[in-house]
Amino acid sequence: MSRIAVEPDQMEVLLRRTENVASDATAALGGFAITADGGIASDKIAFIVRMAIEAAQLAADATNGLATVARAAVTGQLGDEAEVFASLQAITAEHFG
C-alpha cells in the first residue's frame, strides 16, 4: 500500500469550492419544472427534462460523496488505499447501486 501526501489547507479550499458548486447545482435544479407544454411532444420533452435533472442531481450527489471521502482521507481518517477504496465503493453502492 502506498500513502498519499497532500496539503490539508489547499485540499480544504478545493473541496469546499467543489461542494459549493454541487450545492449551487442542487439549488438550481430545484427551480426547474419537469413538465413542459410542447403539444404532441409534451410527454417526450417532460421525460427528457426529468432525466436530465435526475442525472444532474446524481452528479451533484456523487460530487458531495467524493468530497466527503477526500476530506476523510486528508484528515487521516482513511489511512490507506484499502480504506479509501471501501469508502468509494460504499458511495457507489448508495448512489448508483
Side-chain angles (χ1 to χ4, degrees):
M1 296 282 173
S2 62
R3 286 223 168 290
I4 300 170
V6 295
E7 289 292 327
D9 293 340
Q10 292 175 354
M11 282 301 294
E12 181 61 32
V13 169
L14 176 63
L15 292 171
R16 187 158 305 165
R17 192 175 328 149
T18 301
E19 289 169 328
N20 288 341
V21 169
S23 178
D24 291 348
T26 298
L29 290 169
F32 282 98
I34 60 169
T35 59
D37 183 14
I40 196 166
S42 285
D43 60 332
K44 290 173 182 51
I45 293 170
F47 174 77
I48 292 167
V49 169
R50 190 179 83 234
M51 290 295 102
I53 289 171
E54 287 178 11
Q57 185 61 60
L58 186 60
D61 291 344
T63 298
N64 282 324
L66 290 173
T68 300
V69 171
R71 184 170 280 113
V74 168
T75 61
Q77 296 172 4
L78 303 176
D80 61 31
E81 292 173 15
E83 289 176 298
V84 171
F85 183 71
S87 293
L88 291 173
Q89 281 186 313
I91 288 172
T92 300
E94 179 181 340
H95 292 286
F96 300 102

